[in-house]
Amino acid sequence: MWAMSAVGYRRLGAAGSVATAAGGWVAGTLPARDPWGIWVPHGPGVTVAATVLAYLGLTLLVVAWWGYGRAGSSVRETLTTLGWWTAPMLLAPPLHSADVYSYIAQGAMVLEGHDVYGAGPSVLDPGGVGGDAAASVGGHWTDTPAPYGPVFLVLAQAVTTATGGTIVPAVLGMRLIAVAALALIVWALRRLARDRGEGGERGALWLGALNPLLLLHVVGGMHNDGLMIALMLAGVVLVRRGRWVAGSALVGLAMMVKSPAAVALLFVGVAVGRAATGRPVVHRVVKGLVGPGLVAGAVAAGATLLAGTGFGWLRTQSVAGTIHTALSVTSDLGLLLGELLHALLGTDPDPVKTAVQRLGLAAALAVIAYLAWRSARGRPSPVHALGLALVALVVLSPMVQPWYLLWGTTVVAATAWDGRAGRVLAVLSAALVYETAPSGATPWYGFALAAVAGAAGTVLVRRAATARPDRTRVPAPRTAERHGARTP
């Protein structure tokens, strides 16, 4: 089988990253107005060529990432590779998503005293601070209140204040936050995987940080999911070190970026309860269930009061669920069932879709509770159970975006990157990079490319499993053996 060294894959991935960023300069999610004249649209022919270049770059990046996972390298070499693959995206326009314009516009709304939880970016003066960002917001988000917590909105406000809302520096300011989040993710992954040796650290970085889906949507697209993940993982690190109060506080901050981080509180509580050995069962249960929640709740309330944005985030958490995305199994099933009943009985399809979505969320909560119960009894570990719980939440949510997969993938990377769950998430990560176009749209060919990538990844995983004498390991190259690394 054709293969290269780790350095060869590093260079191949860097070439892919350059091509992805270069394509994005023409075909990326360009602003509606750029007073600097840097990120401006081009003709249709040039845009199509740039889109093809960006997709070719993504393919090179995915191939390099997959191959790098099988090549021998150390943690330091993996960090170097991460730097190579990240650098080309740092100055690019927003890639594969327009969400960053919403962030900037919402920051301007906070700055100007608008109720960010009661109105959308359309309330901004087109000629004022944040006006260019508001004009660049995707259509269905223009009048949508913010579903984000006050901690993130204050950060967006700071960027908008520092840049005056000028679109290019404002976007680059948000990217600086995204890169800081990536650095914190790397820090947390290394510490969570440290008990598995250097091979465990390297594998965690491979799946959790070097992942093309994360590079594309956290660095390139600047989604605030990266910051939520970073704070949540850092909180878990502190909890594992016995500092559960500080860890719970960080999880509370993560919740004030995006609410799904609240799932971590349940598993933090499990870890706290399991650590209270020698105590009565009732004491352990009460401490685990009540303590982290009280700390995180106090942090959330304090952050909200200090931010001055109000508690409107409590009522806007369902905003995203009103938008249909094809990746949501429950929304697709609800829509199909609703239309079928409409055709047969003439009933309104919307209540049927809503009911199926709610059943999906109820099923997700049941899975999360089951994982917490199993973890409290000894297996799996609270960290691994958290990763699986976040994956279940995404799979059964009424709205699913490709980058949502990163919520659980980064956690599983620290505990079982080379296990069955890690292999499945690696295949899904490789597939989902194709789902959105550089412009942020979701074209039909994106799903077709994702299906091809997913099928190819499945074949490669099965071949690797067949080649393993014990069905659980791939024999590592000599260079990897010297570093104690495992291969996916």
Side-chain angles (χ1 to χ4, degrees):
M1 180 179 175
W2 177 82
M4 294 190 297
S5 66
V7 173
Y9 284 121
R10 176 189 299 160
R11 292 170 178 168
L12 181 66
S17 184
V18 168
T20 300
W25 274 87
V26 175
T29 312
L30 304 177
R33 301 189 296 265
D34 174 14
W36 287 12
I38 297 176
W39 295 336
V40 294
H42 296 72
V46 178
T47 301
V48 170
T51 300
V52 172
L53 176 63
Y55 271 116
L56 288 174
L58 274 181
T59 302
L60 290 179
L61 187 59
V62 168
V63 170
W65 174 66
W66 198 269
Y68 192 88
R70 297 183 58 84
S73 64
S74 65
V75 170
R76 176 176 293 183
E77 290 166 343
T78 301
L79 292 175
T80 300
T81 300
L82 178 62
W84 277 44
W85 293 4
T86 300
M89 299 183 185
L90 294 181
L91 298 179
L95 301 177
H96 294 254
S97 174
D99 282 8
V100 69
Y101 299 126
S102 292
Y103 302 161
I104 297 167
Q106 288 159 359
M109 290 176 65
V110 176
L111 179 64
E112 295 187 350
H114 295 285
D115 181 7
V116 74
Y117 297 120
S122 61
V123 301
L124 291 171
D125 178 3
V129 176
D132 290 340
S136 307
V137 173
H140 51 261
W141 292 109
T142 302
D143 296 306
T144 303
Y148 312 121
V151 167
F152 180 72
L153 293 177
V154 167
L155 289 174
Q157 177 192 8
V159 169
T160 305
T161 301
T163 61
T166 306
I167 203 71
V168 173
V171 167
L172 296 181
M174 296 306 300
R175 182 165 281 137
L176 185 62
I177 294 175
V179 172
L182 175 60
L184 185 56
I185 289 171
V186 168
W187 176 86
L189 285 174
R190 291 191 63 186
R191 278 145 188 84
L192 288 173
R194 187 156 288 174
D195 57 354
R196 303 186 69 200
E198 182 164 347
E201 281 190 51
R202 174 192 167 277
L205 291 174
W206 174 78
L207 179 58
L210 205 61
N211 193 322
L213 188 65
L214 185 141
L215 296 180
L216 184 67
H217 287 295
V218 171
V219 179
M222 292 157 283
H223 289 288
N224 57 8
D225 301 73
L227 182 59
M228 179 199 77
I229 292 167
L231 291 170
M232 180 182 67
L233 287 177
V236 172
V237 169
L238 294 182
V239 171
R240 285 193 60 181
R241 291 180 174 180
R243 299 168 60 187
W244 69 267
V245 174
S248 300
L250 282 181
V251 173
L253 290 177
M255 291 164 47
M256 292 298 93
V257 175
K258 290 192 77 169
S259 60
V263 175
L265 284 178
L266 180 58
F267 296 92
V268 166
V270 171
V272 170
R274 286 176 51 168
T277 56
R279 297 279 188 171
V281 174
V282 174
H283 175 90
R284 295 168 63 182
V285 171
V286 171
K287 182 178 180 180
L289 291 179
V290 177
L294 287 177
V295 172
V299 168
T304 301
L305 293 173
L306 289 173
T309 55
F311 288 85
W313 55 269
L314 290 170
R315 67 173 184 268
T316 60
Q317 296 308 303
S318 60
V319 164
T322 61
I323 300 169
H324 184 89
T325 56
L327 291 178
S328 171
V329 176
T330 57
S331 292
D332 291 340
L333 182 59
L335 181 63
L336 178 62
L337 183 59
E339 293 297 337
L340 179 61
L341 291 177
H342 175 70
L344 294 176
L345 305 174
T347 57
D348 185 356
D350 288 338
V352 177
K353 178 182 176 182
T354 300
V356 174
Q357 289 176 329
R358 288 176 178 172
L359 285 173
L361 284 176
L365 292 175
V367 171
I368 292 169
Y370 174 72
L371 287 167
W373 177 76
R374 286 286 306 274
S375 181
R377 291 174 61 89
R379 293 185 63 184
S381 71
V383 179
H384 186 62
L386 169 60
L388 298 178
L390 288 169
V391 172
L393 178 62
V394 171
V395 170
L396 295 168
S397 285
M399 178 185 176
V400 179
Q401 298 286 12
W403 53 92
Y404 289 5
L405 186 71
L406 296 170
W407 301 351
T409 298
T410 49
V411 184
V412 172
T415 59
W417 69 273
D418 52 352
R420 179 179 298 177
R423 293 194 294 270
V424 171
L425 292 172
V427 171
L428 290 174
S429 296
L432 289 179
V433 295
Y434 294 100
E435 199 261 343
T436 55
S439 64
T442 53
W444 66 267
Y445 56 80
F447 291 94
L449 291 172
V452 171
T458 301
V459 170
L460 291 173
V461 165
R462 288 182 174 177
R463 285 183 179 177
T466 302
R468 300 172 188 174
D470 63 354
R471 305 277 181 174
T472 60
R473 295 281 189 276
V474 175
R478 293 183 181 276
T479 52
E481 291 173 353
R482 287 199 299 269
H483 294 292
R486 302 179 189 177
T487 54

